[in-house]
Amino acid sequence: MPAPRRLVVLVSGTGTLLQALLDAAAEPGYPAAAVAVGADRDGTEGVERARRAGLPTFVERMGEHPDRASWDRALLGRVRSHAPDMVVGAGFMKVVSAAFLDGIGAPMLNTHPSLLPAFPGAHAVRDALAAGVAVTGATVHRVDAGLDTGPVLGRAEVPVRPGDTATTLHERIKTQERRLLVEVIRRLARADAATASREPQT
């Protein structure tokens, strides 16, 4: 069996998406595993989950840098030090630069609580309710220099129910986000392993 693909996971909150990846990696044959977890703030449950799992963690606070570009470079250095095959934004609430994406040497994935390209941005669930759509959902996409504009890698629909609030709808979307992220990474990691196995050995 090839070695699991190395994931560096970035979090800002409770880390339920991270936990889904940790649980998946505990299953025999899952082709990816987190090797480090980073955050942009102190005291997140996501970082605590990683520590309980015995993973290296780091926190890169924007307020400790003179400007956003300096923070971005520092975050890049932290991520690159763990040699990722993929970087995963798992509820990471900061926008990274094109220079970060070019520098990490690996694709970056992100989840979003809508069926992109519909409702990009920080208020996707609220915006979907305001628009009166019957169906919204979750998307996993590759991060590019735009805001939620990267190539879609997987989507899952979530019906909007009568009486839904942003909270109740978002909870159902999160369930699909966790499942979808695990499955998309499984598919990409297996494709990477298959490609590597076909490459000539030197």
Side-chain angles (χ1 to χ4, degrees):
M1 291 290 292
R5 301 287 88 186
R6 297 170 58 86
L7 308 179
V8 172
V9 183
L10 301 178
V11 300
S12 292
T14 59
T16 56
L17 285 163
L18 167 63
Q19 189 63 56
L21 292 175
L22 296 176
D23 292 345
E27 300 170 3
Y30 190 74
V35 296
V37 174
D40 62 324
R41 61 189 72 175
D42 289 313
T44 63
E45 175 59 17
V47 168
E48 292 306 312
R49 289 178 192 270
R51 288 174 177 160
R52 290 193 293 268
L55 292 173
T57 64
F58 59 88
V59 177
E60 200 61 58
R61 293 171 288 273
M62 190 173 289
E64 293 185 349
H65 296 274
D67 52 40
R68 192 178 191 96
S70 175
W71 169 81
D72 199 83
R73 287 192 297 271
L75 183 67
L76 172 60
R78 297 272 207 159
V79 170
R80 280 181 58 90
S81 71
H82 296 283
D85 296 307
M86 290 184 228
V87 178
V88 182
F92 188 60
M93 301 305 292
K94 290 289 191 294
V95 176
V96 295
S97 70
F100 177 92
L101 297 172
D102 289 342
I104 54 178
M108 183 171 179
L109 279 55
N110 188 48
T111 67
H112 186 76
S114 77
L115 297 175
L116 290 175
F119 310 117
H123 305 291
V125 179
R126 185 189 70 186
D127 293 346
L129 282 173
V133 297
V135 177
T136 183
T139 301
V140 175
H141 65 101
R142 182 164 177 170
V143 179
D144 66 6
L147 180 62
D148 300 323
T149 55
V152 170
L153 303 172
R155 301 199 303 174
E157 293 187 351
V158 176
V160 180
R161 296 174 181 169
D164 256 336
T165 65
T167 299
T168 59
L169 179 56
H170 202 178
E171 285 305 311
R172 297 203 311 282
I173 292 172
K174 287 177 182 177
T175 298
Q176 293 301 317
E177 277 185 306
R178 293 189 284 267
R179 180 193 63 77
L180 187 63
L181 182 61
V182 167
E183 290 306 313
V184 167
I185 290 176
R186 186 196 310 272
R187 171 166 48 84
L188 294 178
R190 285 179 173 169
D192 283 352
T195 298
S197 70
R198 290 194 298 268
E199 291 177 349
Q201 301 299 308
T202 57

